[in-house]
Amino acid sequence: MLDKETRDRIISLIHKEVVPAIGCTEPMAVALATAKAKEALGTLPESIDVLLSANILKNAMGVGIPGTGMIGLPIAVALGACIGRSEYQLEVLRDLTPDTLEEGKLYMQQHDINIKLKEGITEKLYIEITCHATDGRQSKAIIAGSHTRFIYIKNAAGEIELDNSPASNEAGSHRQNEAGSHRQNEADSHRSREFCSRATSAPSAPSAPIEDADIRLNLKMVHEFATEAPLEEMMFILQTKDYNMKAAHEAIKGNYGHNLGKTIDRPLAKGIFGNSIFSHIIAKTASACDARMGGAMIPVMSNSGSGNQGICATNPVVVYAIENENTEEELVRALTLSHLTAIYIKQSLGKLSALCGCVVASIGSSCGITYLMGGDYQRVCNSVKNMIANLTGMICDGAKPSCALKISSGVSTAILSALLSMEGKSVTSAEGIIDDDVDQSIHNLTSIGADAMRATDDMVLNIMTHKGC
């Protein structure tokens, strides 16, 4: 068994990466940064400038904002300024009501919200908000590397309240009282570019450096923790079931997105798929995604900054455990294995990439389902290899209602990979990018997603921003 210090560090990492979120995490992170900048300004901004990395822009363009019936960033920014509270983190718009929604809509009409691509950076998760008061005062908040990780906050008095960027020591104390001046803004811009360049200098590194407190994982460590650690240390993971299965049930009450979950539950689909564990897993997973991408005011438990990844790492495992009549302990260990596997893969892939996050989360759920089927570590490894051999290359073209389709593809592959593994079958190192070593196979996947698919990411964003519609 892993020693207590190692287990504590793993538990700390799970608590950090598996957190509640309302709505798609990219627009919510933009709303969070706006709320923080507004708080630093001390008054409702007259105008707001928003500079975003390409991946944030891509993931926020076509997704519903919870409780608004609207799509996209302007309303998220407006509500972040009007009612957002930064202490709520990714539930920043928790206090939304019909009245405050109208307040946000009115703000959009009467104030300037300027949203642009941040040029000259390589950081994939970057949000820079500048709030302007009527008297010329400014405040600024920057999130980078993680959806809730503030690296810079400057208040309306020109005082830097937070500076966690790598260039902070070089900036010098003379910048403290120069807010609002052209020189200050240029310095801020230079520091932002420098942070992003340094954060992604390694060819296959994550899009932001792993913090010193974060333990570096491998699949053996993940499996050992999930299957051997004292059960009481992991019981908190059942919160993912409470949140994400509730989201699936709530989705049935409305018509969200493309109604994929509902469609799979209808008679025609049952005539095709049958009334099976397979169809139930896909329906419950797709339903939660339908609601979340469709703008339902339903919180979910996210994984590595993505609610869809949290759903995909949770619901397939829960549904299988219920229908297979696994024990609560087996469910707890399977959920831990699923979520921690996804976190491990994200350590080398980065929070955002050209690779669809359902690939990562589905690998996690395949591991969890393999465990529930009675699979040992070797069979878990085989499931991972089967997944990588199948789903590598699925692109991320932004957060949107049709994400439910991709999640369904990932989940169906997760089940197939687990079944194949339990039959003693695995894709071998003679085939494609699979290596005998499972961790190397994972790094082959993440190298493609983080590095080789960068041109794909650029092309996807170019297509999305130049469509005739």
Side-chain angles (χ1 to χ4, degrees):
M1 183 187 296
L2 298 171
D3 62 77
K4 184 66 164 61
E5 180 183 355
T6 300
R7 299 201 311 272
D8 285 346
R9 293 184 68 193
I10 291 174
I11 291 168
S12 176
L13 179 60
I14 297 174
H15 279 302
K16 174 185 168 186
E17 298 293 354
V18 180
V19 297
I22 295 178
C24 178
T25 47
E26 276 71 50
M28 289 306 102
V30 175
L32 172 61
T34 304
K36 178 67 77 173
K38 180 266 183 92
E39 290 163 4
L41 188 66
T43 186
L44 191 67
E46 177 64 22
S47 64
I48 304 173
D49 293 331
V50 182
L51 294 175
L52 305 173
S53 60
N55 286 75
I56 291 288
L57 189 61
K58 178 182 73 174
N59 279 350
M61 288 173 60
V63 69
I65 306 303
T68 68
M70 302 173 70
I71 289 174
L73 282 167
I75 187 63
V77 172
L79 290 173
C82 293
I83 65 160
R85 296 181 62 177
S86 62
E87 63 264 33
Y88 290 168
Q89 298 285 285
L90 292 178
E91 295 180 282
V92 59
L93 302 184
R94 186 196 301 172
D95 294 337
L96 182 65
T97 66
D99 288 341
T100 55
L101 174 58
E102 292 306 312
E103 182 182 343
K105 290 179 179 179
L106 187 63
Y107 184 91
M108 288 173 58
Q109 296 172 6
Q110 298 180 347
H111 298 80
D112 289 333
I113 300 175
N114 306 302
I115 302 171
K116 295 181 180 179
L117 184 68
K118 178 74 173 181
E119 301 288 352
I121 63 171
T122 55
E123 167 61 51
K124 295 185 177 182
L125 200 165
Y126 183 90
I127 302 165
E128 179 180 322
I129 306 292
T130 304
C131 290
H132 303 268
T134 54
D135 59 5
R137 293 177 301 132
Q138 298 178 9
S139 64
K140 180 172 290 189
I142 299 175
I143 287 176
S146 179
H147 291 78
T148 59
R149 181 173 180 259
F150 284 94
I151 66 163
Y152 184 75
I153 300 170
K154 182 185 68 178
N155 64 29
E159 299 166 343
I160 298 176
E161 298 179 358
L162 174 70
D163 194 346
N164 283 340
S165 67
S168 59
N169 291 332
E170 302 170 14
S173 60
H174 68 281
R175 303 173 63 237
Q176 298 288 327
N177 298 314
E178 295 178 351
S181 71
H182 178 72
R183 182 168 25 164
Q184 175 67 58
N185 291 334
E186 287 296 314
D188 287 345
S189 178
H190 172 74
R191 291 172 59 264
S192 301
R193 290 192 299 270
E194 186 170 355
F195 167 80
C196 297
S197 298
R198 293 185 182 190
T200 55
S201 59
S204 59
S207 60
I210 295 174
E211 296 180 20
D212 292 339
D214 291 351
I215 187 170
R216 293 307 302 257
L217 301 170
N218 57 60
L219 194 62
K220 182 67 175 176
M221 184 188 299
V222 167
H223 184 268
E224 188 173 350
F225 175 82
T227 59
E228 298 181 12
L231 184 63
E232 60 271 16
E233 295 182 0
M234 296 183 289
M235 290 299 291
F236 67 88
I237 202 69
L238 286 176
Q239 292 178 3
T240 64
K241 172 192 172 185
D242 297 338
Y243 273 82
N244 296 345
M245 288 298 289
K246 183 179 179 181
H249 293 305
E250 289 293 319
I252 303 302
K253 299 177 182 178
N255 290 313
Y256 298 107
H258 298 294
N259 281 330
L260 180 59
K262 278 188 171 182
T263 299
I264 295 171
D265 264 342
R266 286 172 179 157
L268 177 60
K270 287 183 178 179
I272 297 171
F273 295 110
N275 191 18
S276 63
I277 297 177
F278 178 79
S279 64
H280 297 166
I281 286 174
I282 295 177
K284 288 296 187 289
T285 309
S287 291
C289 182
D290 283 334
R292 181 171 175 270
M293 293 290 95
M297 199 69 178
I298 301 172
V300 301
M301 196 68 80
S302 65
N303 182 297
S304 303
S306 167
N308 282 351
Q309 286 169 201
I311 291 167
C312 196
T314 302
N315 290 16
V317 177
V318 172
V319 174
Y320 184 88
I322 292 172
E323 304 220 7
N324 194 49
E325 298 183 350
N326 288 99
T327 66
E328 182 179 70
E329 176 177 350
E330 289 170 333
L331 174 58
V332 169
R333 294 190 182 281
L335 282 172
T336 302
L337 178 58
S338 178
H339 278 275
L340 196 54
T341 298
I343 292 168
Y344 162 45
I345 297 172
K346 278 288 186 173
Q347 283 189 329
S348 57
L349 180 63
K351 299 291 186 186
L352 299 176
S353 73
L355 186 70
C356 179
C358 84
V359 176
V360 175
S362 296
I363 293 174
S365 61
S366 187
C367 293
I369 291 171
T370 301
Y371 170 79
L372 292 173
M373 289 178 173
D376 57 9
Y377 175 66
Q378 186 55 54
R379 282 180 168 78
V380 167
C381 291
N382 290 346
S383 292
V384 171
K385 293 179 182 180
N386 293 339
M387 290 292 293
I388 294 172
N390 193 333
L391 286 183
T392 297
M394 182 184 286
I395 66 167
C396 171
D397 55 344
K400 59 210 175 300
S402 61
C403 284
L405 290 165
K406 294 191 177 186
I407 280 182
S408 297
S409 296
V411 170
S412 62
T413 303
I415 300 166
L416 178 63
S417 296
L419 284 170
L420 193 61
S421 172
M422 292 304 293
E423 290 293 322
K425 302 295 185 182
S426 171
V427 178
T428 70
S429 60
E431 305 171 70
I433 66 169
I434 301 304
D435 193 276
D436 287 330
D437 180 81
V438 67
D439 292 297
Q440 185 58 53
S441 296
I442 288 171
H443 289 299
N444 292 344
L445 166 73
T446 58
S447 292
I448 290 171
D451 299 327
M453 293 177 71
R454 286 179 181 174
T456 300
D457 225 11
D458 294 339
M459 178 59 71
V460 167
L461 182 65
N462 183 62
I463 291 171
M464 290 176 65
T465 54
H466 290 85
K467 289 187 290 187
C469 62

